[in-house]
Amino acid sequence: QVQLVESGGGLGQAGGSLRLSCTASGRTFGDYAMGWFRQAPGKVREFVGAISRSGGGTSYADSVKGRFTISRDNAKNTVYLQMNSMTIEDTAIYYCAAKWRVASTHPDEYNYWGQGTQVTVSS
């Protein structure tokens, strides 16, 4: 089992920045690729980005590419989502997820999920 706890959400301004953190406990963090997903009201959960087990590889949804950055610190069992140049469309509940070995853009392929953290961007 892997337990994931997100933090860092809240209210941000359009054009501003927030950083989300997701701390894992349980099994070996370095065995898991990590993903960030989000779900806005009335919409399906969508892929935001993912990072490989070592942190050497990342991928992003087109909607956040160039604005969001994922990183991880395996010594701290933590993955981060740095969100810059935020827009109102970034308002959603953000979830981190862990997938055994190889990252994916498909939420159904992830093994463990955090409880989510709300991000609200105001104009």
Side-chain angles (χ1 to χ4, degrees), residues 68-84:
F68 290 10
T69 302
I70 298 175
S71 60
R72 67 188 293 164
D73 185 340
N74 285 352
K76 296 182 178 179
N77 287 0
T78 301
V79 61
Y80 305 97
L81 180 65
Q82 178 67 45
M83 302 185 294
N84 298 330

Side-chain angles (χ1 to χ4, degrees), residues 10-121:
L11 181 63
Q13 295 279 342
S17 299
L18 283 175
R19 189 176 81 156
L20 305 183
S21 299
C22 171
T23 301
S25 60
R27 293 178 180 251
T28 305
F29 183 64
D31 285 342
Y32 291 84
M34 299 297 296
W36 284 97
F37 294 80
R38 66 186 182 185
Q39 188 166 16
K43 295 188 176 181
V44 299
R45 190 169 298 188
E46 66 172 358
F47 172 75
V48 174
I51 189 166
S52 65
R53 289 178 290 153
S54 67
T58 55
S59 62
Y60 299 93
D62 287 344
S63 58
V64 306
K65 199 172 294 182
R67 300 189 298 120
F68 290 10
T69 302
I70 298 175
S71 60
R72 67 188 293 164
D73 185 340
N74 285 352
K76 296 182 178 179
N77 287 0
T78 301
V79 61
Y80 305 97
L81 180 65
Q82 178 67 45
M83 302 185 294
N84 298 330
S85 302
M86 294 189 301
T87 71
I88 294 175
E89 288 71 31
D90 294 322
T91 295
I93 299 174
Y94 284 72
Y95 300 88
C96 70
K99 183 182 179 296
W100 177 253
R101 294 301 189 188
V102 180
S104 169
T105 62
H106 301 290
D108 291 346
E109 295 182 7
Y110 281 75
N111 306 106
Y112 302 102
W113 290 83
Q115 82 288 352
T117 186
Q118 175 71 48
V119 171
T120 303
V121 182

